[in-house]
Amino acid sequence: MKRLPARPGEWIRRDEVVRFTFEGQARLGFAGDTITSALLAAGDAILGRSFKYHRPRGPLSAANHDANLVMQVDLGDRTTPNVRADVARIQAGAVVHAVNTHGGVRSDRGALTGFFAPFLPVGFYYKAFHGKRLFPLWERVFRSMTGLGRVDLAAPQRTTPKRYDFVDVLVVGAGPSGLSAALTAALAGASVLLIDENMQLGGSGQYVRHSPDRVERINRLVDAANSHPRIRTLCDAVAVGYYADHWVAVDTPRSLVKVRARSVIVAQGGFEQPVVFRGNDLPGVMLAGAAQRLLARYAVAPASRVVILTANEHGYAAALDAIDAGIHVEAILDLRATPGPASRELASDPRLVGVHLATGVQPYEASSGAGGRVASLAFRTAAAPGRLHKIAIDGVWMSVGFAPAQSLLHQAGTVMRYERSIEQFLPQTLPKGLFACGKANGRYGFDARLADGERAGAQAAAGLGFGADVAPVSIAGEECPSHEYPIFPHPKGKEFVDFDEDIQIRDYENAVQEGFDSSELLKRYTTSGMGPSQGKHSNMNALRILARIRGEGLEQHALTTARPMFHPVLMSHLAGRGFQPERRTPIDAEHTTLGAVWMPAGNWRRPEYYAVEGKSRSEAIAAELRSVRTGVGLIDVGTLGKVEAHGPCAGEFLDRVYTGRFSNLKVGMTRYGLMLDEAGVVIDDGVIGRLRAESFYFTTTTGNSGTLFREFGRLATTWRLPVGLVNLTGHYAAFNLAGPKSREMLRSLTTLDVSEDAFPYLALREGAVAGVPCRLMRVGFVGELGFELHVPADYAVTVWRALLQAGRAHGIRPFGVEAQRLLRLEKGHMIIGQDTDATTTALEINAPWAIKMDKPFFIGQRSLQALARTPRHLSLVGFRLPPGTAGRVKEAHLVIHDGEISGRVTSVGHSPTLEYGIGLALVDPKVADSGLLSIRVGRTEMVEAAVTALPFYDPDSQRQRSGSSP
Amino acid sequence: MSAADVVASLRRSALHGLGDASPTHGQAAPRPQASDGDRAASGVAMTDRSSRRRFGVKGPQAESWLAELGFVVPSAANRWAVSADVLVGRLGTSEFLVESLTEDVERVAAADAQLGSALRPSSVYPVGRQDLVVSLHGRQLNELLRQICGVDFAPYLLEPTSGSGPLVMTSMIGVGVLAIPRQQSGGVELTLWLDPSFAHYFWTTLTGLISALEGGEPPEKPNHT
């Protein structure tokens, strides 16, 4: 292994030396080197260890799929786990270690696992975890042995942008066919985004360099693509997932880009496949494409004497590339009895004169020498099967076939068929607007790929109205690129099919024998294809093994569809920059000034209470509550849903939506509304007011406002009722001015007559408050004389300040959500979602006055009729706690009766007004009838609470109706 | 000063109380020290336009009512038209947004007043519009939009119009917006209308994104583990 003299087109910059360490030893590389190329150039052979048996491993693909060459890279104060050495650029000062070793990559103690291999059969995980008794033991063992890399839990959180992109034609893959497709589509007039996972365009055309003419043609295509005004190019970008309507997730070094294309062309090429034989994982044994990448891009010779194991023309091309780089090719070993025409043509190249060529080869085993690197290859031939040949080499390059990169096609729903003549799956039916070309479409010859790219580009553009359609390109006459069964069992095993998980031939045989005999089951049981490379080098061979065991053709099998993301993506890219919309009322800053302590309420923030220096939370809340009971308080209720319904059918619409009757509501009055779902379950409530004969204004609960507005629209459409619905939730502020002094205080700010006669309980009025047009409703949620003021949001600050200013003389105090909860609890008013749950029906909340069963229809009516004929399961009741127990009883504590759960506490608190603990509970009516609730507050502790009639406070509701004292 | 003007003087932008970054109506933000032009040249300038007088109207007779009052109404949904400093956006078959583009377009105020009075015709309903209105322009506007919205605005920004054009209803950073691209004297400007309760979130989030676009470091938060 060595660095070669400068080569044309190399990706390294020799004038910039990069220093780093690997496993504690200093190393040098050039800028542009990957960790792998720099280490190989430095003479390192073992770059990582395998996951299961900790076998020494070197590069396999050098194409972003080397799952065994995963590094921990420390740079300054940051550490990054699971860096892929085959593509990650070296950085000055980096400290690099292979992950998954015990004692370092050169003397990994984990290799002892290999001695226990006979006791680690396929499905070992499942078998180990099968018994409950040993589960904890195995969990500890596996946790200590598994896991790749080390996460720095103290690393700061960095946000990465999310980004959309839009284009007519997205071309995925910038090899010969992708370049050709992109240029054809762009020339037809379409805008094109051409992406490639490599650092430069060109694909295999860039690193398979034996033909100067071919290299020149690729260079011209690259130049044309880079300079075309309608083509944008994006390198180092992996298309990792396909979603509906040509929405493709593209991972770039900086972020995840969501590309919305009108058409997509998949030209991702193919994953070269390994030969399965004993010792095929030794360092020095690699795919021919890996060697060619290292030679062309980084000028690194990964071996000095190689043997080429091949079954297609590409192996011969690799031999030529090796010779051009000064590497001695000991032999070309063709698995086929007769090489194809393209292979024969290359074999006749003068550069291969003197190179031994054998056909009908059956590799037997590769053996390692000093340092763990491959040192020889033993094989037989079909002509002399009894004779074992052995060649001394330091590199084995494999080129026996490809698995087309079709994951995006699978995710898009492409129907595939197996094409025997080229031994691979081909798209049979592609979704509209999706195209495949090149190796992914079964075209392997250089000219065939260019032609197929032109065809795909023209078809994609034509589908969008650019240019004319063209006919498909035939694959007849091409040499078969893949061997039908490049798998050679060895009596001693260690012929690896899946390098990620160290899965051998016998593991598949045993799994099938145990009944896991379909591709889906086999994958899950063996974990084949479940490692970091996601089966890119193992799925096809696994399927071949399965088909042969079952005595079937591959036509009867299918590959599994890899879910997005089918290539690893940084967690930070997946997360992206988080957007969490938070709503604020227009007087949010006023609350802050007043010392608000915030709490979330749906996607809003609301003041829980206002902090007072020298007072505890509960003292501050109690003071707010007393202010409402004895003077006047002001709360921001702007988070309530606010809706207008207009039109001659608005009343009928509300009659259908709510359980009450609103078509007969007088103009200028309000009424409580209860909303159910079809099952009769309580889902919302609010106040409905009539502004004019054809106009209503009503509120919903905070959390449901958005959902319900959409539902209102759906219902109006479904019922074909001409109702104009307007969502004013964010456009109107709302305050509740409550307390016995509220009327007197309000009078100073408005010309409206707010006297009891002119503005009675439940009335709705419109008029100016503090010079601002407002809607005012006489409501009594907190059980006192109260006015709910609804104000256009732009004027909210003006009105709020005016109210506080005017109330100063009356001792006004803003109060928060917690005081409001206690105030309404004293009145026994329920809160939907707290005192009810997803199963609580209208019959269980004891509000028959709100339900007009004699109406022709309302949502949930039929269910209530049916439920009325059955015994009630639960009933919402009030209870009073014995002294000293209020703090011990919590919401959701269970009510126990005869040792069984008979209900739960829904609201509880200490009433500052009544000076004892009160609460609401949903309980079995029979238990409620007993008059006593046994509430479990601890493992064995119980509190006995007395069932009490509601409301607890002001039973006749005189205070909220007229403001008079009870 | 008329009574209506007195009332209007009591208005506050939804961005009221934003702290140092708080803009006042019609003023550029978030960096008062940089001129609007400077920001547009290096990134994106964002301006609060909430102070413009506007109203919404819907109902079967809304179109004819607007036409009777002399407003130029777009003939198709999801279109806008500007005439005599008044913008009319058609949000659907029978819903409209009307906004005065200058301080004193009397007929906008008059129509709004009629909507809130007994003179309002039947089948014409007012739609409260206390929107946060934000205009964006600058060299990196399209890049910003690509980070916050799934709609491709590039065609609108490349070929903007001034008298009429498309109106886009979409979601940006999780908030429903109504967007109008329009050619102005200084270049293309995108104006957004959104629910004012999202004002703080929307403004501060966009401020951060614009800062990052202009070369600011992406924010780092400590990891509380």
Side-chain angles (χ1 to χ4, degrees):
Chain A
M1 296 179 295
K2 62 178 181 181
R3 182 80 70 180
L4 299 169
R7 314 200 80 206
E10 66 185 17
W11 291 2
I12 52 172
R13 299 192 302 278
R14 292 173 187 256
D15 57 346
E16 190 178 334
V17 174
V18 178
R19 299 173 194 278
F20 68 107
T21 67
F22 176 63
E23 298 277 317
Q25 296 188 3
R27 292 286 182 269
L28 298 178
F30 292 127
D33 257 327
T34 62
I35 296 173
T36 291
S37 67
L39 292 177
L40 289 178
D44 291 288
I46 302 173
L47 308 189
R49 290 278 171 167
S50 70
F51 178 64
K52 189 175 177 183
Y53 298 130
H54 292 250
R55 289 172 63 86
R57 294 275 162 87
L60 175 67
S61 72
N64 211 359
H65 314 305
D66 285 356
N68 295 141
L69 308 189
V70 175
M71 305 294 171
Q72 185 86 31
V73 177
D74 299 331
L75 197 63
D77 59 349
R78 290 199 168 157
T79 185
T80 309
N82 299 334
V83 174
R84 291 194 169 198
D86 56 340
V87 290
R89 297 286 181 273
I90 55 169
Q91 296 179 73
V95 177
V96 181
H97 286 90
V99 304
N100 194 39
T101 69
H102 300 278
V105 76
R106 293 177 195 85
S107 53
D108 181 7
R109 294 190 300 277
L112 290 170
T113 319
F115 293 109
F116 298 100
F119 307 104
L120 301 171
V122 64
F124 178 70
Y125 293 132
Y126 303 109
K127 288 165 182 164
F129 283 123
H130 189 64
K132 283 183 182 174
R133 197 169 58 83
L134 293 175
F135 192 108
L137 167 69
W138 287 119
E139 185 188 6
R140 278 198 302 278
V141 170
F142 289 138
R143 280 191 189 282
S144 69
M145 293 180 66
T146 59
L148 299 177
R150 172 172 45 87
V151 174
D152 179 6
L153 297 176
Q157 181 186 346
R158 271 177 295 172
T159 55
T160 57
K162 289 176 182 171
R163 190 176 183 279
Y164 292 91
D165 208 325
F166 308 91
V167 72
D168 290 331
V169 180
L170 170 67
V171 181
V172 184
S177 64
L179 284 164
S180 174
L183 281 164
T184 305
L187 288 168
S191 65
V192 175
L193 179 60
L194 175 62
I195 66 167
D196 196 279
E197 66 177 305
N198 293 296
M199 300 300 288
Q200 295 184 17
L201 305 182
S204 61
Q206 186 273 334
Y207 62 80
V208 179
R209 304 185 67 87
H210 65 88
S211 162
D213 170 62
R214 215 173 100 153
V215 172
E216 178 56 30
R217 288 166 71 190
I218 279 292
N219 287 343
R220 281 202 302 270
L221 285 174
V222 170
D223 290 343
N226 278 328
S227 60
H228 197 286
R230 277 192 291 276
I231 298 178
R232 285 182 293 140
T233 59
L234 195 57
C235 291
D236 203 4
V238 188
V240 289
Y242 176 96
Y243 298 87
D245 301 327
H246 307 320
W247 190 114
V248 179
V250 177
D251 191 35
T252 73
R254 190 161 168 254
S255 65
L256 198 65
V257 181
K258 306 167 189 178
V259 179
R260 174 78 72 187
R262 296 173 67 200
S263 279
V264 176
I265 298 173
V266 175
Q268 288 176 287
F271 306 116
E272 199 163 37
Q273 299 294 290
V275 188
V276 179
F277 64 99
R278 179 177 169 82
N280 63 346
D281 66 326
L282 293 175
V285 181
M286 66 182 70
L287 299 168
Q292 288 168 295
R293 289 182 181 94
L294 290 165
L295 286 169
R297 294 173 176 171
Y298 312 106
V300 168
S304 57
R305 292 158 56 219
V306 299
V307 63
I308 312 283
L309 267 180
T310 189
N312 56 32
E313 65 177 285
H314 305 281
Y316 292 82
L320 289 170
D321 281 344
I323 289 167
D324 287 348
I327 296 170
H328 180 69
V329 178
E330 287 286 340
I332 297 174
L333 304 181
D334 200 319
L335 307 189
R336 298 168 295 182
T338 308
S343 298
R344 288 198 300 274
E345 186 181 337
L346 288 174
S348 65
D349 190 293
R351 287 172 286 181
L352 291 181
V353 171
V355 174
H356 177 67
L357 170 63
T359 58
V361 169
Q362 299 164 0
Y364 182 70
E365 66 179 355
S367 303
S368 60
R373 184 183 172 83
V374 65
S376 66
L377 176 72
F379 63 96
R380 294 189 174 93
T381 63
R387 185 179 166 199
L388 196 62
H389 305 268
K390 194 168 185 178
I391 304 179
I393 38 79
D394 64 355
V396 178
W397 296 359
M398 304 176 285
S399 182
V400 295
F402 298 85
Q406 296 171 330
S407 288
L408 291 180
L409 299 175
H410 279 281
Q411 289 169 6
T414 303
V415 177
M416 298 285 184
R417 68 179 170 87
Y418 194 77
E419 174 56 48
R420 176 63 69 183
S421 69
I422 55 171
E423 297 291 351
Q424 78 167 58
F425 287 96
L426 279 181
Q428 178 171 306
T429 308
L430 286 156
K432 191 179 177 198
L434 185 66
F435 302 88
C437 63
K439 291 176 183 171
N441 197 37
R443 272 65 175 180
Y444 283 82
F446 185 71
D447 291 323
R449 277 184 281 164
L450 293 178
D452 200 36
E454 277 183 36
R455 186 268 315 161
Q459 287 183 332
L464 302 176
F466 302 103
D469 202 350
V470 293
V473 179
S474 169
I475 59 171
E478 283 203 47
E479 181 174 323
C480 178
S482 295
H483 193 275
E484 63 175 344
Y485 199 78
I487 295 156
F488 302 90
H490 190 284
K492 292 181 181 174
K494 297 288 185 288
E495 343 82 330
F496 290 97
V497 178
D498 189 294
F499 294 81
D500 295 20
E501 306 271 339
D502 283 350
I503 305 170
Q504 307 162 56
I505 297 173
R506 68 159 184 249
D507 293 325
Y508 296 93
E509 293 169 342
N510 291 339
V512 173
Q513 195 172 28
E514 290 181 46
F516 299 95
D517 56 358
S518 72
S519 58
E520 291 87 356
L521 292 174
L522 190 69
K523 169 183 172 160
R524 281 157 184 80
Y525 194 61
T526 61
T527 67
S528 176
M530 291 166 67
S533 72
Q534 289 285 286
K536 293 180 177 70
H537 302 118
S538 62
N539 283 351
M540 268 312 299
N541 282 337
L543 204 63
R544 288 185 173 110
I545 293 169
L546 173 65
R548 182 154 291 195
I549 293 171
R550 289 177 54 112
E552 297 166 338
L554 282 167
E555 297 87 348
Q556 291 154 278
H557 291 268
L559 288 168
T560 52
T561 299
R563 285 183 292 264
M565 314 300 185
F566 81 92
H567 187 82
V569 177
L570 287 175
M571 298 290 280
S572 60
H573 288 195
L574 281 178
R577 180 186 280 117
F579 294 125
Q580 294 170 312
E582 181 193 62
R583 305 182 78 173
R584 298 185 177 189
T585 70
I587 53 168
D588 186 89
E590 305 294 302
H591 296 312
T592 301
T593 305
L594 292 165
V597 176
W598 298 100
M599 61 173 282
N603 57 352
W604 297 82
R605 71 172 195 172
R606 299 189 67 187
E608 183 190 14
Y609 67 99
Y610 297 87
V612 178
E613 197 172 339
K615 285 192 174 178
S616 67
R617 172 182 178 276
S618 58
E619 288 170 339
I621 292 167
E624 290 173 14
L625 182 144
R626 276 192 288 272
S627 176
V628 175
R629 290 279 180 249
T630 61
V632 60
L634 184 64
I635 183 171
D636 180 3
V637 292
T639 60
L640 288 171
K642 304 173 209 74
V643 183
E644 283 179 350
H646 301 284
C649 297
E652 182 186 346
F653 174 77
L654 294 169
D655 280 352
R656 292 181 181 212
V657 169
Y658 289 96
T659 58
R661 184 176 283 112
F662 299 94
S663 51
N664 67 353
L665 183 66
K666 290 179 182 172
V667 171
M669 292 303 291
T670 66
R671 192 170 284 164
Y672 176 76
L674 189 66
M675 190 176 176
L676 314 181
D677 67 10
E678 298 287 357
V681 169
V682 178
I683 58 171
D684 206 70
D685 66 352
V687 173
I688 291 97
R690 192 163 203 163
L691 296 166
R692 290 171 191 80
E694 295 184 359
S695 295
F696 291 82
Y697 178 68
F698 55 103
T699 61
T700 72
T701 57
T702 295
N704 284 338
S705 62
T707 308
L708 284 182
F709 186 76
R710 287 190 291 276
E711 178 66 358
F712 293 149
R714 189 190 71 82
L715 291 171
T717 305
T718 303
W719 294 332
R720 297 172 186 265
L721 285 177
V723 180
L725 293 164
V726 179
N727 188 355
L728 293 172
T729 300
H731 294 269
Y732 262 66
F735 319 126
N736 189 3
L737 185 69
K741 296 180 180 174
S742 57
R743 177 183 287 138
E744 182 184 347
M745 199 208 96
L746 183 61
R747 192 171 279 139
S748 66
L749 288 174
T750 181
T751 54
L752 276 173
D753 184 352
V754 294
S755 67
E756 186 62 27
D757 291 339
F759 199 163
Y761 183 56
L762 299 181
L764 165 66
R765 297 290 181 267
E766 291 181 277
V769 175
V772 173
C774 295
R775 289 173 181 164
L776 298 90
M777 295 188 277
R778 272 287 307 276
V779 294
F781 186 56
V782 298
E784 296 293 342
L785 173 68
F787 299 84
E788 202 165 277
L789 284 74
H790 291 242
V791 187
D794 279 4
Y795 299 99
V797 171
T798 298
V799 176
W800 173 267
R801 287 181 179 173
L803 288 168
L804 287 180
Q805 175 68 27
R808 199 170 290 170
H810 304 276
I812 194 169
R813 197 173 190 135
F815 63 104
V817 173
E818 199 53 40
Q820 185 193 39
R821 281 181 178 171
L822 276 175
L823 287 159
R824 67 87 204 179
L825 181 58
E826 290 179 342
K827 283 298 297 175
H829 291 157
M830 67 168 179
I831 294 177
I832 305 282
Q834 176 172 329
D835 298 304
T836 66
D837 59 30
T839 64
T840 308
T841 71
L843 300 181
E844 293 170 332
I845 59 169
N846 300 317
W849 50 270
I851 305 166
K852 303 303 178 193
M853 294 298 287
D854 58 339
K855 287 198 300 183
F857 170 80
F858 63 85
I859 296 171
Q861 185 185 40
R862 284 202 305 173
S863 295
L864 292 189
Q865 287 165 344
L867 288 167
R869 293 191 290 271
T870 63
R872 263 197 289 169
H873 295 295
L874 293 170
S875 181
L876 187 66
V877 299
F879 62 84
R880 173 179 175 168
L881 292 169
T885 60
R888 293 165 61 200
V889 179
K890 307 288 184 193
E891 284 151 11
H893 272 166
L894 298 176
V895 177
I896 306 295
H897 182 71
D898 285 343
E900 299 289 331
I901 296 170
S902 63
R904 64 180 173 86
V905 174
T906 60
S907 294
V908 67
H910 176 76
S911 165
T913 309
L914 304 170
E915 297 186 334
Y916 54 76
I918 56 174
L920 297 174
L922 267 172
V923 293
D924 183 334
K926 291 196 286 289
V927 176
D929 289 344
S930 73
L932 209 60
L933 304 182
S934 296
I935 302 168
R936 193 167 77 181
V937 297
R939 193 169 288 275
T940 57
E941 285 178 280
M942 307 292 285
V943 168
E944 304 291 323
V947 176
T948 308
L950 296 173
F952 301 102
Y953 171 77
D954 184 18
D956 299 325
S957 297
Q958 287 303 306
R959 295 179 69 91
Q960 68 195 59
R961 290 178 190 279
S962 63
S964 62
S965 300
Chain B
M1 188 181 273
S2 68
D5 290 336
V6 171
V7 172
S9 71
L10 304 175
R11 289 177 70 196
R12 297 283 189 284
S13 164
L15 295 170
H16 167 79
L18 200 59
D20 293 341
S22 175
T24 55
H25 274 315
Q27 290 187 338
R31 290 194 214 151
Q33 72 273 20
S35 76
D36 186 67
D38 289 344
R39 277 199 308 280
S42 63
V44 180
M46 185 163 61
T47 309
D48 180 13
R49 307 276 190 208
S50 308
S51 66
R52 292 170 174 169
R53 192 185 290 265
R54 84 186 62 80
F55 66 86
V57 61
K58 70 190 298 185
Q61 302 302 317
E63 182 178 8
S64 57
W65 178 73
L66 286 170
E68 283 169 19
L69 293 177
F71 292 106
V72 174
V73 181
S75 57
N78 300 325
R79 301 282 300 174
W80 58 267
V82 168
S83 175
D85 288 334
V86 176
L87 179 143
V88 178
R90 187 162 196 156
L91 316 186
T93 310
S94 59
E95 183 170 353
F96 303 88
L97 165 70
V98 180
E99 184 166 289
S100 169
L101 298 180
T102 57
E103 288 292 318
D104 51 359
V105 178
E106 186 55 39
R107 58 201 177 101
V108 173
D112 190 17
Q114 187 181 336
L115 263 185
S117 75
L119 298 173
R120 170 165 63 85
S122 64
S123 300
V124 176
Y125 313 117
V127 177
R129 302 233 48 140
Q130 306 289 308
D131 305 61
L132 171 70
V133 185
V134 172
S135 69
L136 302 165
H137 73 283
R139 192 173 56 81
Q140 300 214 61
L141 176 56
N142 192 45
E143 182 55 35
L144 174 70
L145 291 169
R146 290 195 164 183
Q147 291 191 19
I148 64 176
C149 183
V151 169
D152 184 12
F153 279 92
Y156 307 131
L157 303 183
L158 286 172
E159 295 177 10
T161 53
S162 58
S164 65
L167 177 156
V168 180
M169 282 186 265
T170 182
S171 170
M172 291 183 179
I173 56 171
V175 178
V177 301
L178 191 160
I180 286 181
R182 186 168 173 242
Q183 179 66 45
Q184 302 283 50
S185 56
V188 63
E189 184 174 285
L190 187 76
T191 307
L192 309 174
W193 286 256
L194 58 133
D195 187 312
S197 60
F198 291 105
H200 181 275
Y201 159 76
F202 195 83
W203 185 273
T204 54
T205 303
L206 256 60
T207 300
L209 290 171
I210 290 169
S211 172
L213 274 178
E214 291 171 354
E217 283 294 308
E220 280 196 356
K221 285 192 274 184
N223 198 340
H224 302 290
T225 53

